[in-house]
């Protein structure tokens, strides 16, 4: 089992292997190409964890859990619903999710298992799909629902404000992605609690389907969709507010924690 983290230490960006939950063994090289362990160790608490990858693309899947499609009042999709989040929306563990000045009122959380592609993939079969995966991390498909649902004809703005794609805390390379618990806590209260075994299109299907359409470059992030319990579908709705703390937890990976702040 390997956990790959990306971190900054005195202004330099490094990759490291998590050891004993509190130490990083520094890696030389690029986790998407050639790398090797060094004999340098740093304490986790002394560095700043970053998003574990700087992705060339962030692909996201909508309505991929049965219960979430139903709560969203949408029919179950016959094929994956694909959209994109712009890479400037990516942020890391403990980075603030910023409520944008132009749309601060209906910002919502979505816990998602994120696939990290490890090598270039095109026309990959379902059987071979996992050979192209580096690992998995936690992600939050933060969404401004007013833009996404009412104001805009598509989802690009509502899903791509700065900080709307938190990733982390690290990449877990050994995981059964088709049977892991996934949940969201908002200020400690559980809001979403499901398992990836409820995915309509599983990780192999998504990688194969996407790779038939577009080249998946190393480092590409695929957010696989969110289960039920999102804020906008609640009665009354729950949206993120200045001072909140959102935690996305995937069993076998860890917890991605982000505070929420208003844009100043
Ligand atoms: Mg989503």
């Amino acid at each position: 089992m390997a956990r790959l983290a990306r971190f900054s230490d005195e202004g330099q960006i490094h990759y490291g292997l998590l050891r004993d939950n509190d130490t990083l063994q520094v890696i030389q090289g690029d986790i998407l190409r050639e790398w090797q362990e060094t004999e340098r160790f740093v304490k986790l608490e002394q560095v700043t964890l970053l998003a574990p990858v700087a992705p060339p693309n962030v692909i996201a899947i909508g309505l991929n859990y049965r219960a979430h499609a139903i709560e969203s009042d949408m029919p179950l999709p016959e094929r994956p619903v694909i959209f994109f989040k712009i890479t400037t929306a990516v942020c890391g563990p403990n980075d603030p999710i910023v409520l944008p000045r132009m749309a601060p009122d209906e910002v919502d959380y979505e816990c998602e298992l994120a696939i990290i592609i490890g090598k270039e993939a095109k026309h990959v079969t379902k059987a071979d799909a996992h050979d192209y995966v580096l690992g998995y991390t936690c992600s939050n498909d933060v969404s401004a629902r007013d833009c996404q649902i009412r104001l805009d004809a598509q989802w690009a703005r509502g899903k791509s404000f700065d900080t709307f794609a938190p990733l982390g805390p690290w990449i877990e390379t050994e995981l059964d992605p088709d049977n892991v618990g996934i949940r969201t806590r908002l200020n400690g209260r559980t809001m979403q609690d499901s398992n990836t075994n409820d995915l309509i299109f599983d990780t192999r299907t998504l990688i194969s389907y996407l790779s038939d359409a577009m080249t998946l470059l190393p480092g590409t992030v695929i957010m696989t969709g969110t289960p039920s319990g999102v804020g906008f579908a609640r009665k009354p709705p729950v949206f993120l507010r200045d001072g909140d703390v959102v935690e996305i937890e995937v069993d076998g990976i860890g917890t991605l924690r982000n505070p929420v702040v208003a844009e100043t």
Side-chain angles (χ1 to χ4, degrees):
M1 182 158 99
R3 290 180 165 173
L4 297 163
R6 185 164 154 266
F7 63 97
S8 83
D9 182 19
E10 295 177 349
Q12 302 263 35
I13 295 176
H14 302 278
Y15 293 97
L17 286 160
L18 189 67
R19 302 292 189 201
D20 304 326
N21 281 320
D22 66 352
T23 303
L24 289 163
Q25 182 173 10
V26 179
I27 283 171
Q28 192 166 45
D30 182 341
I31 58 166
L32 300 173
R33 296 169 63 88
E34 297 278 302
W35 61 269
Q36 57 205 29
E37 300 167 9
T38 70
E39 291 308 309
R40 192 175 151 234
F41 294 82
V42 293
K43 286 290 179 195
L44 202 52
E45 64 188 24
Q46 289 170 344
V47 302
T48 303
L49 283 180
L50 306 173
V53 67
N57 285 306
V58 179
I59 306 171
I61 308 300
L63 303 171
N64 199 22
Y65 284 80
R66 289 169 187 83
H68 176 59
I70 292 165
E71 76 175 351
S72 301
D73 217 9
M74 301 286 276
L76 293 190
E78 292 176 20
R79 60 190 69 79
V81 174
I82 300 168
F83 62 98
F84 304 105
K85 289 171 82 84
I86 203 163
T87 55
T88 45
V90 171
C91 67
N94 302 310
D95 284 343
I97 294 168
V98 179
L99 304 175
R101 228 170 9 213
M102 75 185 302
D105 296 331
E106 297 185 24
V107 177
D108 204 350
Y109 53 81
E110 293 189 353
C111 62
E112 308 206 4
L113 174 73
I115 304 166
I116 314 293
I117 294 294
K119 58 181 180 181
E120 188 170 308
K122 181 70 179 176
H123 296 310
V124 169
T125 64
K126 283 191 204 182
D128 290 342
H130 285 170
D131 296 345
Y132 293 81
V133 173
L134 175 64
Y136 303 87
T137 195
C138 311
S139 64
N140 190 346
D141 176 16
V142 182
S143 308
R145 301 298 189 193
D146 42 4
C147 306
Q148 180 200 354
I149 296 172
R150 292 197 311 278
L151 301 176
D152 296 359
Q154 35 68 30
W155 297 358
R157 182 174 66 131
K159 295 277 195 178
S160 284
F161 285 103
D162 287 356
T163 73
F164 273 26
L167 299 174
W170 37 67
I171 298 168
E172 171 57 68
T173 63
E174 303 291 328
L175 187 78
D176 172 8
D178 301 320
N179 185 18
V180 283
I182 180 166
R183 58 197 68 83
T184 299
R185 285 188 295 270
L186 177 60
N187 304 323
R189 178 183 166 205
T190 300
M191 307 298 279
Q192 297 181 278
D193 192 358
S194 185
N195 187 294
T196 57
N197 63 17
D198 193 42
L199 282 170
I200 298 170
F201 303 105
D202 65 14
T203 55
R204 290 179 183 276
T205 302
L206 293 175
I207 292 164
S208 177
Y209 183 83
L210 288 166
S211 80
D212 273 341
M214 56 198 83
T215 301
L216 305 178
L217 297 170
T220 295
V221 169
I222 303 170
M223 292 187 181
T224 55
T226 202
S228 62
V230 295
F232 86 89
R234 290 172 171 269
K235 293 180 179 54
V238 174
F239 295 116
L240 300 180
R241 296 291 177 240
D242 187 18
D244 284 350
V245 175
V246 190
E247 292 173 294
I248 307 295
E249 185 175 76
V250 178
D251 292 340
I253 301 177
T255 302
L256 168 66
R257 179 186 178 280
N258 297 95
V260 177
V261 303
E263 186 176 1
T264 52

